[in-house]
Amino acid sequence: MPYFSRWKTIIVWLVVLLSIVAALPNAVADATLEELPGWVPKKQLMLGLDLQGGSQITLKVEREDVVKTRLKAVIDAIGVRLRSAGIAYSGLSGTGQDLQLRLRNPAQLEAARTALNALMDPVRIGGVAKDAVSEVAIDGSPDGSMSAIISDEGIDHRISATADAAIAVLHRRLADLGAQQPKIHRQGADRIIVQIPGRYDPEQVKYILSQAGSLSFRSIDMSMAVQDAVNGQPPFNSEILYSADDPPIGYLVRKQPIIANQDIVDAKSAINAQSGNPVVNLRLGPDGAARLAKATADTAGTTLAVVLDGAVIATPLVRKAITDGTVQLSAEMSPEGADDLALLLRAGALPSPLTVVEERSIGAGRGAESIHSILAAGAIGAVLVILFMLGFYGFFGAVASLAVAFNVVMIVAVLSATGLALTLPGIAGIVLTIGMAVDSNVLIYERIREEVRHGKTLREALDFGFSRAFAAIVDANITTLIAAIILLFLGAGPVRGFAVTLAIGIVTTLFTAFTLTRVILDVWLHRRQPTQLPDGIRTGVFDGAAFRFMAIRNYVFSLTALLSVISMLLFGAMGINLGIDFAGGSVIELKARAGNADIEDIHARLDELNLGEITVKPFGSPQDVVVRVHSREGGENAEQTSVILVRGELEDAYEFRRVEVVGPSVSGDLTKAATIGVLASLLAVLLYIWVRFEWQFAAGAIVATLHDVLLTIGLFVVTGMEFNLTSIAALLTIVGYSLNDTVVVYDRVRENLKRYPRMPLPLLIDTSINQTLSRTVLTGATTMLALAALSIFGGEAIQPFAFVMLFGVAIGTFSSIYVAGPVLILFRLRHGAPGGDAEKTGGTGMHPAKGAQ
């Protein structure tokens, strides 16, 4: 790698300076943020809900609701058009997406088709003609019978349009609620994800987000008794609606409302001065006020029906005409219910009710504790890593520590500038980045040491050291970057948060390892002009390593194969403790308001609710406990009902610190997305290795990776730890680290194949492993120090995750030697590659493992 020119050095330091400036707002308190100079950006790092607290709710547009609404609209449209054309008909009805009718005069079939032709016009999607879909297909027969089919494409279009319209309404509702910086975005065709930072009543939020809020005042049809309409057929312009009473009361009401949501200008909750009951005062626009005045003048002395989302909530008596455009809505509701109803009416009705299919709510206190624990653990881990690097590399260790520190600063700067949220799994991505960054510096340093031992000057050693380490570092980082990018697009929730920080960290690692570190060392060379490596480098203890790893490969490989088979058998026999992400259900973290949590009492109280299988376990301190309600039959609503019942039973004695509810549709989607993401990541990485190396290397990487995955799964089976989306992130962290380790060893094997083409393969692999042993030990040790700090001091939220990663790093380091190496021998790796340097080594190609560097 050539000497850095002055302008390149200036660019490197300018990037570092900009990163520090972008990250600076995170180092000051919010109150003093505005006191910073005007040229300093004010954007701070956005924390995920699992760190700062808040709610993430996934809403779904139900296809059945859209089909029902669309069927009713098509029936009404057909009736209106046929009556306008003077065509008599009977039996107009439908089920699902099919409807039928019969013309009283079959001779009017063509006239009927002409009248209904506009219903079959294609609807443009997004204003693009080529994407137009036909929503309705109408057919008729000579006997006067006609049928209509609402197409699946038409329903899909209506679902998408409903979701788009719902997002605008949700924004208004959350703004009225006072939510700060909520995020609302589409997921797929029928899902809407709402993220609300801060502390809000999750039950209130779910009600406000999911209720359609469709209000109307209707006239009651007195032309026939309600029971007669139930037993027979109600008039065409009327329908039967029921109250929310127990038992419900039926009413025959006119379909055409007197006033509806669009007529309401304002709505405010209040307390009725005479009755003391909560009410909602409505103010109508001019058109609505005029229609209400006329209707109430015509129906004075009778009752109206107030309908909310298809249910009759009140039947007020009309004593006189209402001419001032104000209405006081009085129904059976609490003051909080009146506030919520007024909010819904001010924001407008949703085009369709939405179903809550997933909820993840974190209390602000719980999030603050997680941040404190992780920061403390991170600080301890960072100090241990710095001390370790200083102890082995002295001045070079200080440079590496400085580069890693700037690496983290750059990650924070990118996250702050882009507004991407930092999550708990995202912190895991940073931990892996630190390990890979240290690994990059160790690789470079060890290459520099090799070149110095081979007689090169320090300047030449730096040039060759950076140049020869480049391929191994790039290969190792690109394999992980491929996995991160695929997870970024295919992953969900925590997995995506992990992928974001990991992808950013890989890019910043390449920058700090190959530019920043080099600039610092160039400055040191220029100013000090040393002739030898600085004091304090102690990795020479590995120079004489001549371990015969492959001599016992058959025994160790057989043992690891046996352990892998046992893991598979245990997994098949015992299964794995799937979390709610994949199995559905609810997880509720509780903290006793006074004293310690009483697990037996909680279990007894919840058993009386008949919620099915319930698990209650301690969590952290004696005050904390975790309740898991396993998935129930009944779909999404059953899962939400479970949480409501648990809250009602325990809220008086326990603080609800975390609530996660995953319905069956979401758990199925998460399982599919996680599986596809993991498999796609592994496939892409292995294809890259196949292209960059011989096929035997790719096979070795596959076997070593499968070994690590199987043993990690065995850990979950044996310990009974919950396997959830965060576990997927941990598993991928292990895979990324293991592949990184394996690629470094393979890169040295490939280099030695060209240098010593006649050396027996087992001896060549031993030589390669011994040559990279210092890097393997140092990288593994620094990464495990950081993970050990998270495991011990990181708090309950991240300790299981860190423990799995700690286990994975250990087996990943092991597999890079005792699995990846023997596989190359097993598949008879070709050596003696073209361009080998056998002649330069005296023609024998033999080179002893001892001291081979």
Side-chain angles (χ1 to χ4, degrees):
M1 183 172 287
Y3 178 78
F4 265 39
S5 63
R6 182 180 298 274
W7 68 269
K8 288 182 179 179
T9 302
I10 293 174
I11 290 176
V12 170
W13 286 115
L14 184 61
V15 171
V16 172
L17 180 61
L18 290 176
S19 299
I20 294 174
V21 171
L24 182 61
N26 297 286
V28 302
D30 293 342
T32 60
L33 192 61
E34 295 301 325
E35 297 178 8
L36 293 174
W39 50 268
V40 176
K42 303 300 188 294
K43 294 181 67 175
Q44 289 183 312
L45 184 67
M46 181 178 295
L47 299 178
L49 298 182
D50 52 359
L51 292 177
Q52 69 168 320
S55 297
Q56 175 175 305
I57 297 172
T58 302
L59 304 160
K60 180 182 179 183
V61 179
E62 293 290 355
R63 189 179 187 89
E64 293 181 0
D65 291 339
V66 175
V67 168
K68 182 179 178 181
T69 301
R70 189 62 186 141
L71 179 67
K72 182 178 182 298
V74 172
I75 288 176
D76 291 343
I78 289 176
V80 169
R81 289 178 179 275
L82 291 180
R83 289 194 301 274
S84 298
I87 300 173
Y89 62 90
S90 64
L92 177 57
S93 62
T95 56
Q97 294 173 226
D98 302 325
L99 57 91
Q100 56 282 321
L101 62 93
R102 178 173 292 276
L103 301 178
R104 297 189 184 277
N105 182 3
Q108 293 183 303
L109 179 61
E110 288 303 320
R113 283 176 173 169
T114 302
L116 302 178
N117 190 54
L119 296 178
M120 296 186 286
D121 289 343
V123 177
R124 294 183 179 183
I125 299 177
V128 181
K130 67 177 182 179
D131 293 333
V133 299
S134 181
E135 292 190 274
V136 181
I138 300 176
D139 195 12
S141 59
D143 64 355
S145 61
M146 300 188 71
S147 62
I149 298 176
I150 303 174
S151 68
D152 289 336
E153 294 80 5
I155 295 299
D156 292 340
H157 165 64
R158 292 288 172 174
I159 290 174
S160 180
T162 298
D164 288 336
I167 289 176
V169 177
L170 295 179
H171 272 295
R172 293 196 296 270
R173 290 184 179 183
L174 291 177
D176 204 330
L177 184 64
Q180 298 295 318
Q181 297 181 327
K183 290 186 177 180
I184 306 176
H185 62 273
R186 287 273 298 275
Q187 184 185 62
D190 59 353
R191 306 284 175 87
I192 301 172
I193 296 181
V194 180
Q195 293 180 325
I196 311 171
R199 189 175 181 84
Y200 295 92
D201 180 1
E203 295 303 323
Q204 179 193 24
V205 170
K206 286 189 292 185
Y207 173 81
I208 288 173
L209 294 179
S210 62
Q211 293 301 304
S214 177
L215 182 78
S216 61
F217 281 60
R218 314 269 196 97
S219 298
I220 295 180
D221 188 347
M222 306 299 293
S223 63
M224 64 186 305
V226 175
Q227 193 59 44
D228 292 340
V230 172
N231 296 333
Q233 185 173 356
F236 178 81
N237 291 325
S238 299
E239 60 181 336
I240 302 170
L241 298 178
Y242 293 89
S243 69
D245 299 306
D246 188 17
I249 302 173
Y251 296 91
L252 183 63
V253 300
R254 301 288 186 185
K255 292 181 180 179
Q256 182 65 37
I258 301 170
I259 58 172
N261 292 77
Q262 60 269 23
D263 300 309
I264 300 174
V265 175
D266 192 18
K268 293 182 179 179
S269 60
I271 299 295
N272 185 282
Q274 298 178 345
S275 65
N277 295 325
V279 295
V280 176
N281 293 321
L282 307 178
R283 183 164 58 86
L284 307 179
D287 293 341
R291 289 197 305 274
L292 182 63
K294 183 178 184 306
T296 52
D298 295 341
T299 58
T302 63
T303 57
L304 295 178
V306 181
V307 180
L308 179 64
D309 293 339
V312 177
I313 62 171
T315 53
L317 175 64
V318 179
R319 302 183 184 277
K320 61 179 181 178
I322 303 174
T323 58
D324 61 354
T326 61
V327 181
Q328 187 173 87
L329 173 58
S330 178
E332 188 174 343
M333 52 187 171
S334 64
E336 295 78 13
D339 292 339
D340 292 342
L341 178 56
L343 187 154
L344 295 180
L345 297 178
R346 286 194 300 268
L350 290 170
S352 175
L354 302 174
T355 301
V356 178
V357 295
E358 181 184 18
E359 174 195 355
R360 299 182 189 273
S361 299
I362 306 293
R366 207 267 199 181
E369 290 179 8
S370 296
I371 295 174
H372 177 77
S373 300
I374 291 170
L375 287 178
I380 294 171
V383 170
L384 292 176
V385 169
I386 291 172
L387 292 176
F388 192 84
M389 290 298 293
L390 290 175
F392 273 95
Y393 281 108
F395 170 71
F396 274 17
V399 174
S401 300
L402 184 62
V404 171
F406 278 127
N407 197 345
V408 175
V409 170
M410 292 179 71
I411 295 174
V412 172
V414 173
L415 291 174
S416 300
T418 58
L420 296 170
L422 177 64
T423 62
L424 275 174
I427 293 174
I430 294 178
V431 170
L432 180 59
T433 297
I434 291 174
M436 296 179 70
V438 170
D439 176 59
S440 299
N441 281 281
V442 170
L443 273 171
I444 293 170
Y445 292 164
E446 291 305 296
R447 282 291 191 176
I448 293 173
R449 288 183 59 247
E450 283 187 38
E451 300 303 328
V452 169
R453 287 201 312 275
H454 291 161
K456 291 184 174 62
T457 66
L458 192 54
R459 162 58 63 189
E460 293 173 333
L462 281 174
D463 290 339
F464 280 99
F466 275 91
S467 178
R468 294 191 173 182
F470 182 79
I473 293 174
V474 169
D475 282 335
N477 281 276
I478 285 182
T479 54
T480 311
L481 181 61
I482 291 172
I485 291 174
I486 291 178
L487 288 175
L488 198 59
F489 288 97
L490 297 181
V495 176
R496 184 170 292 147
F498 163 78
V500 166
T501 54
L502 183 58
I504 296 172
I506 290 169
V507 176
T508 57
T509 293
L510 292 175
F511 174 82
T512 55
F514 284 106
T515 57
L516 181 60
T517 302
R518 182 59 191 271
V519 166
I520 295 174
L521 293 181
D522 278 341
V523 171
W524 170 69
L525 275 177
H526 179 71
R527 293 188 175 181
R528 297 293 180 92
Q529 297 184 353
T531 58
Q532 59 184 7
L533 290 172
D535 295 333
I537 298 179
R538 298 179 176 85
T539 54
V541 296
F542 298 99
D543 289 349
F547 297 108
R548 298 298 303 274
F549 294 103
M550 295 300 102
I552 60 172
R553 67 181 185 275
N554 292 332
Y555 303 104
V556 179
F557 194 77
S558 299
L559 177 61
T560 59
L562 178 62
L563 291 175
S564 299
V565 171
I566 291 175
S567 295
M568 287 191 293
L569 293 176
L570 288 175
F571 175 73
M574 301 171 58
I576 198 168
N577 181 20
L578 292 176
I580 63 169
D581 294 323
F582 303 127
S586 309
V587 169
I588 305 167
E589 182 184 327
L590 305 171
K591 185 180 185 69
R593 297 185 186 275
N596 296 332
D598 190 335
I599 294 179
E600 293 184 1
D601 177 66
I602 292 174
H603 217 304
R605 293 171 66 177
L606 296 183
D607 282 342
E608 296 178 357
L609 301 178
N610 296 319
L611 299 178
E613 185 180 357
I614 295 176
T615 305
V616 184
K617 293 182 179 180
F619 183 80
S621 71
Q623 290 181 292
D624 299 319
V625 68
V626 168
V627 176
R628 176 172 177 180
V629 181
H630 294 256
S631 183
R632 304 171 59 198
E633 294 182 0
E636 324 292 349
N637 291 330
E639 306 294 358
Q640 291 296 323
T641 301
S642 298
V643 175
I644 294 173
L645 293 174
V646 171
R647 190 181 294 274
E649 181 67 30
L650 300 177
E651 197 167 23
D652 58 334
Y654 294 89
E655 174 190 349
F656 280 63
R657 294 165 59 82
R658 175 171 66 103
V659 176
E660 296 186 7
V661 186
V662 178
S665 62
V666 171
S667 62
D669 291 345
L670 291 177
T671 302
K672 181 179 178 181
T675 303
I676 294 175
V678 171
L679 294 179
S681 300
L682 292 177
L683 179 62
V685 167
L686 296 174
L687 285 176
Y688 177 82
I689 294 176
W690 197 311
V691 171
R692 291 284 290 126
F693 296 82
E694 300 289 336
W695 69 266
Q696 291 94 335
F697 290 107
I702 291 173
V703 174
T705 301
L706 286 177
H707 163 271
D708 300 340
V709 170
L710 289 175
L711 289 189
T712 305
I713 290 176
L715 175 70
F716 278 99
V717 174
V718 172
T719 60
M721 288 189 298
E722 187 178 282
F723 190 83
N724 49 32
L725 278 177
T726 306
S727 305
I728 293 289
L731 194 63
L732 290 168
T733 306
I734 294 168
V735 169
Y737 183 89
S738 177
L739 282 170
N740 178 50
D741 218 23
T742 301
V743 165
V744 170
V745 174
Y746 278 178
D747 184 75
R748 186 57 67 96
V749 170
R750 180 175 59 178
E751 181 180 322
N752 286 334
L753 280 170
K754 296 179 180 180
R755 183 177 297 175
Y756 315 119
R758 295 185 180 88
M759 181 182 290
L761 190 56
L763 183 58
L764 186 142
I765 293 174
D766 279 340
T767 300
S768 302
I769 294 174
N770 280 293
Q771 287 175 349
T772 57
L773 189 61
S774 57
R775 171 260 160 203
T776 300
V777 172
L778 292 174
T779 300
T782 53
T783 306
M784 285 192 282
L785 282 173
L787 292 173
L790 286 177
S791 299
I792 298 172
F793 306 105
E796 290 288 341
I798 205 170
Q799 280 176 342
F801 178 85
F803 173 72
V804 173
M805 286 178 59
L806 187 62
F807 172 84
V809 167
I811 64 168
T813 303
F814 171 85
S815 68
S816 298
I817 298 173
Y818 278 113
V819 178
V823 169
L824 297 180
I825 301 174
L826 181 65
F827 288 118
R828 301 181 183 276
L829 175 66
R830 174 182 64 84
H831 59 293
D837 297 333
E839 298 82 359
K840 298 180 182 179
T841 59
T844 64
M846 299 299 292
H847 196 289
K850 183 174 181 178
Q853 299 293 331

